[in-house]
Amino acid sequence: MQIGIIGLGDMGKLYAVSFINAGYKVFGADMPLRFADLKNELEPKGIEVLIDGHEVARKSDFIIYCVEAEKIDEVVAVFARSTKYGAIVSGQTSVKHPEIAAFEKYLPNDTQIVTCHSLHGPAFSPEGQTLVVVRHRATDEVYAQALEVYKSLKSNIIEMDDYREHDRIVADTQAVTHMGFESMGSAWKNAGFFPWDNPAYAGGIDNVKILTTLRIFSYKSHIYAGLAILNPYAQKQVKYYAQAESELFKLMICENETEFRKKFTRPAISFFMKVGRFYYWTITS
């Protein structure tokens, strides 16, 4: 099983190194202007850097597209025709609707699609982290082969058969909660202080809020843009969050406590319960 990675950004390089350490032959490619730098960085580790995705797709039995969700259609359209006959194809985007649409549109019918989503950033080793594996189009035999490849990462694997269910769960547990943490970070910035220097944030759950916000702001913006903008299940929630935040802010400015309390309707309570579940997920991760 020869593994090819199209897109050697932070996550692509992390997985290339992980698969090499697991004993696989790994090819990779990125934009031509990065070819020389990637070759110098990765070939000493045993990863063969090729000039473009056509060479990677032609040689690889297992192909992973590690590109942003907003670019997945464009990239797959360019390299899909070079896909090796019968290859397994995967993607590493955090929202699967645009990824699956691109695969269905451009990939040859003989390809097998077993995609994935790593619930961690490039600063963390895949070992012990959560990895969602989505079987979209694959025979039992091929799916078993793909699963063996994923298991070599030593992640905690969650198997799913429907990419729609994946995106629905991501919308419920990550998209809007990430937006909430981004709002907190922006508020602290505009207020002109670090929360750990302010006695109002003295510990307990405030520490979790601060650490989670810092973790989110340390990653690249396209990760969270894809989660919230390109996920059809998240769009409605993001709109509701923005509307609720605006209404609550107006009531606070007007010091209208009675109406403020009334705004904590059943949907609002449901939203804050989701935030609580995300806190728990962060702590246990």
Side-chain angles (χ1 to χ4, degrees):
M1 184 72 74
Q2 297 187 125
I3 298 176
I5 298 178
I6 298 176
L8 289 173
D10 295 335
M11 286 300 290
K13 288 190 288 186
L14 173 68
Y15 274 81
V17 171
S18 298
F19 286 127
I20 275 287
N21 292 338
Y24 289 100
K25 175 70 175 175
V26 180
F27 308 104
D30 203 278
M31 294 179 290
L33 59 87
R34 300 188 64 209
F35 175 72
D37 290 339
L38 288 170
K39 195 175 182 70
N40 293 333
E41 178 185 356
L42 298 178
E43 291 208 340
K45 299 176 182 179
I47 300 160
E48 185 177 348
V49 179
L50 303 175
I51 193 65
D52 60 27
H54 289 298
E55 293 192 17
V56 174
R58 180 174 59 85
K59 298 177 67 172
S60 304
D61 305 301
F62 192 110
I63 304 164
I64 305 176
Y65 283 85
C66 288
V67 298
E68 300 98 313
E70 63 188 34
K71 296 180 180 177
I72 189 71
D73 184 88
E74 174 187 348
V75 175
V76 176
V78 173
F79 302 123
R81 61 184 174 85
S82 298
T83 305
K84 186 176 181 179
Y85 179 81
I88 304 169
V89 179
S90 175
Q92 250 286 10
T93 61
S94 52
V95 54
K96 294 303 175 188
H97 268 78
E99 178 187 294
I100 294 298
F103 287 168
E104 291 280 8
K105 185 176 180 180
Y106 300 113
L107 289 176
N109 292 331
D110 58 84
T111 55
Q112 314 275 316
I113 302 172
V114 184
T115 192
C116 69
H117 174 202
S118 307
L119 299 182
H120 63 90
F124 299 87
S125 166
E127 185 171 351
Q129 299 291 332
T130 301
L131 174 66
V132 179
V133 175
V134 183
R135 177 180 181 175
H136 179 67
R137 188 174 77 199
T139 64
D140 291 345
E141 180 183 358
V142 169
Y143 179 68
Q145 293 174 351
L147 209 54
E148 285 303 310
V149 173
Y150 287 125
K151 286 179 179 178
S152 71
L153 297 170
K154 299 179 181 178
S155 298
N156 299 322
I157 293 178
I158 298 174
E159 299 178 58
M160 302 182 75
D161 293 321
D162 188 353
Y163 71 93
R164 300 174 190 84
E165 181 185 3
H166 166 273
D167 283 0
R168 190 178 299 111
I169 292 172
V170 167
D172 287 344
T173 60
Q174 289 187 279
V176 183
T177 47
H178 283 168
M179 185 178 179
F181 288 117
E182 290 164 5
S183 296
M184 283 190 284
S186 299
W188 290 327
K189 176 182 179 296
N190 293 328
F193 64 82
F194 293 111
W196 51 85
D197 291 332
N198 190 308
Y201 303 93
I205 196 67
D206 289 319
N207 286 336
V208 178
K209 290 191 292 186
I210 293 166
L211 291 172
T212 304
T213 301
L214 291 173
R215 179 173 174 176
I216 288 173
F217 271 79
S218 71
Y219 293 149
K220 294 181 179 177
S221 60
H222 70 79
I223 298 173
Y224 303 104
L227 277 171
I229 297 172
L230 298 177
N231 187 335
Y233 299 106
Q235 292 170 6
K236 182 178 179 180
Q237 295 186 8
V238 170
K239 182 179 180 180
Y240 171 78
Y241 174 88
Q243 179 183 345
E245 185 181 44
S246 177
E247 291 176 0
L248 290 173
F249 180 72
K250 290 176 183 177
L251 293 172
M252 289 171 63
I253 294 297
C254 296
E255 299 183 0
N256 191 337
E257 181 180 350
T258 302
E259 288 299 316
F260 185 89
R261 291 181 178 277
K262 287 182 180 179
K263 283 294 179 182
F264 280 86
T265 57
R266 203 168 186 83
I269 294 170
S270 174
F271 167 75
F272 287 110
M273 287 176 66
K274 289 173 183 175
V275 174
R277 287 201 297 271
F278 183 67
Y279 286 149
Y280 176 77
W281 174 83
T282 305
I283 296 167
T284 54
S285 293

